[in-house]
Amino acid sequence: MSDAIKTYDSMSELYASFGGKLEQDVGFTIHRNEELFPNFPVKSPLFRTRFYTVLILSEGRGRYLIDDRSYVTRGNIIYFTNPGHLKGFEVDETLKGYLITFSESFLKQYVRDDILDEFPFLIAEVVPPNYPDREVFQIFDNLGGMLLQEYQSDSVYKHQTIGCLMVVLLLKIKERFWKAYDPLTEAVTSSNITLTFQRNLEAHFRDLLTGKCDRLLQVQDYAQAQYLHPNYFSTVIKYKTGKSVNSWIAEKTIAEAKAMLARSSQSVQEIAARLGFKDAGHFSRFFKKHTELSPLSFRQRITSE
């Protein structure tokens, strides 16, 4: 079933799947919801995106799906969703408000490189929708209006101005919604992330040892397997297990290497290749770093014992 789920790189690509056309550049869009989906009811297929979405909705009714959760869509609501999650939506009556999409690269280009440190919810799992009172909602609605005005302008400072306004929007999200939500302690899937990682780690080494794979997977590979940002994935694993992802990978690699050195007659070069190392010298340095012995010294000690 997952093979049939489309992943979209941009809002324009997603909208094209509905038969529409959007102009988009530099990883940012903002449009009025009533212009995007003037006809209803609308029910989307399940999909994934590689961009962030902020929905500022003043009126409307429908439903929004994120992974295995379903949220009611109504007036005075603010959604924030991250890349990678399985999504879908239903529109029962005209939605009024703003739909904002942007990429991580846009923020890093027009705000700053360490943007994820300032706004940790950009790498979290799922931030629940917020239903603020009218006064608070109006702040976000006004920001949506300013972003749209700048997006439609011909200013030579257009993208820089949008970047500044996005900082204000993200600060307001952080101020109003984020304090009460800690994804490490409240997200029901955080334990499943750890369990899935451990299973994926075991499965990967089985593939390595049976010749089905010839590359040692890294942090970003395991994060991508669960459609998570590598920073958030690493934080969850460290929080839940007390060990970093790299420590898990290293310990598993050393354990398998020791077993092969002790129980097989394969050369160090053959063992290195089997474990996904392209260079035997790299494998030897890695092994010595973690055991204080070279692979040959370890094998000789085991043999003598």
Side-chain angles (χ1 to χ4, degrees), residues 153-285:
S153 78
D154 296 322
S155 171
V156 294
Y157 302 113
K158 169 180 174 178
H159 299 139
Q160 290 85 346
T161 304
I162 288 174
C164 292
L165 288 171
M166 283 302 300
V167 170
V168 177
L169 177 63
L170 294 173
L171 282 170
K172 289 301 179 182
I173 291 175
K174 183 178 181 179
E175 176 188 22
R176 298 291 180 175
F177 311 147
W178 188 249
K179 288 182 179 178
Y181 180 72
D182 182 354
L184 290 178
T185 58
E186 295 187 26
V188 296
T189 58
S190 57
S191 295
N192 290 334
I193 290 172
T194 303
L195 180 60
T196 300
F197 163 61
Q198 292 169 333
R199 288 173 175 169
N200 289 345
L201 185 68
E202 292 294 329
H204 173 56
F205 274 86
R206 283 198 301 270
D207 288 344
L208 279 174
L209 298 178
T210 57
K212 294 180 181 179
C213 180
D214 63 357
R215 181 177 72 88
L216 191 63
L217 296 185
Q218 304 300 316
V219 174
Q220 60 268 26
D221 299 305
Y222 289 104
Q224 186 177 7
Q226 298 195 56
Y227 300 97
L228 296 170
H229 193 287
N231 292 8
Y232 177 69
F233 172 72
S234 297
T235 301
V236 170
I237 299 302
K238 177 76 175 187
Y239 178 85
K240 288 293 184 180
T241 70
K243 292 191 301 187
S244 68
V245 178
N246 282 326
S247 293
W248 277 94
I249 296 172
E251 288 178 11
K252 182 63 177 174
T253 304
I254 293 299
E256 296 295 346
K258 284 181 175 179
M260 295 173 74
L261 287 165
R263 301 172 189 170
S264 77
S265 59
Q266 291 177 301
S267 68
V268 171
Q269 187 171 358
E270 289 172 326
I271 291 173
R274 183 60 64 87
L275 289 173
F277 290 84
K278 300 301 182 184
D279 177 72
H282 181 203
F283 167 68
S284 295
R285 291 189 295 273

Side-chain angles (χ1 to χ4, degrees), residues 10-12 22-31 101-103 105-106 109-110 150-153 158-159 162:
S10 66
M11 183 63 192
S12 56
L22 292 179
E23 298 297 329
Q24 179 177 13
D25 60 351
V26 299
F28 179 89
T29 63
I30 177 169
H31 293 87
T101 69
F102 56 96
S103 66
S105 61
F106 174 84
Q109 182 177 357
Y110 292 104
E150 195 61 38
Y151 182 67
Q152 294 174 338
S153 78
K158 169 180 174 178
H159 299 139
I162 288 174

Side-chain angles (χ1 to χ4, degrees), residues 43-224:
K43 184 176 182 179
S44 77
L46 294 176
F47 61 91
R48 300 184 192 276
T49 69
R50 292 193 174 95
F51 53 83
Y52 297 92
T53 302
V54 176
L55 179 65
I56 302 172
L57 195 66
S58 57
E59 296 179 27
R61 186 169 59 86
R63 196 161 61 104
Y64 201 94
L65 308 174
I66 306 176
D67 294 331
D68 59 348
R69 308 177 195 183
S70 175
Y71 299 105
V72 174
T73 300
R74 61 171 175 76
N76 287 10
I77 189 172
I78 298 170
Y79 281 111
F80 177 87
T81 63
N82 296 331
H85 297 289
L86 192 62
K87 303 175 185 179
F89 60 85
E90 299 176 9
V91 179
D92 297 327
E93 61 183 43
T94 300
L95 305 180
K96 292 185 179 181
Y98 303 98
L99 179 65
I100 305 167
T101 69
F102 56 96
S103 66
E104 181 178 328
S105 61
F106 174 84
L107 292 179
K108 289 185 174 180
Q109 182 177 357
Y110 292 104
V111 183
R112 59 178 186 270
D113 287 338
D114 61 350
I115 189 73
L116 301 182
D117 296 333
E118 176 69 18
F119 303 108
F121 53 83
L122 290 173
I123 59 173
E125 289 174 76
V126 177
V127 181
N130 195 274
Y131 304 85
D133 58 40
R134 184 62 195 174
E135 182 179 353
V136 172
F137 179 83
Q138 193 60 51
I139 296 172
F140 288 88
D141 198 50
N142 292 341
L143 280 169
M146 287 188 284
L147 279 164
L148 181 62
Q149 181 178 0
E150 195 61 38
Y151 182 67
Q152 294 174 338
S153 78
D154 296 322
S155 171
V156 294
Y157 302 113
K158 169 180 174 178
H159 299 139
Q160 290 85 346
T161 304
I162 288 174
C164 292
L165 288 171
M166 283 302 300
V167 170
V168 177
L169 177 63
L170 294 173
L171 282 170
K172 289 301 179 182
I173 291 175
K174 183 178 181 179
E175 176 188 22
R176 298 291 180 175
F177 311 147
W178 188 249
K179 288 182 179 178
Y181 180 72
D182 182 354
L184 290 178
T185 58
E186 295 187 26
V188 296
T189 58
S190 57
S191 295
N192 290 334
I193 290 172
T194 303
L195 180 60
T196 300
F197 163 61
Q198 292 169 333
R199 288 173 175 169
N200 289 345
L201 185 68
E202 292 294 329
H204 173 56
F205 274 86
R206 283 198 301 270
D207 288 344
L208 279 174
L209 298 178
T210 57
K212 294 180 181 179
C213 180
D214 63 357
R215 181 177 72 88
L216 191 63
L217 296 185
Q218 304 300 316
V219 174
Q220 60 268 26
D221 299 305
Y222 289 104
Q224 186 177 7

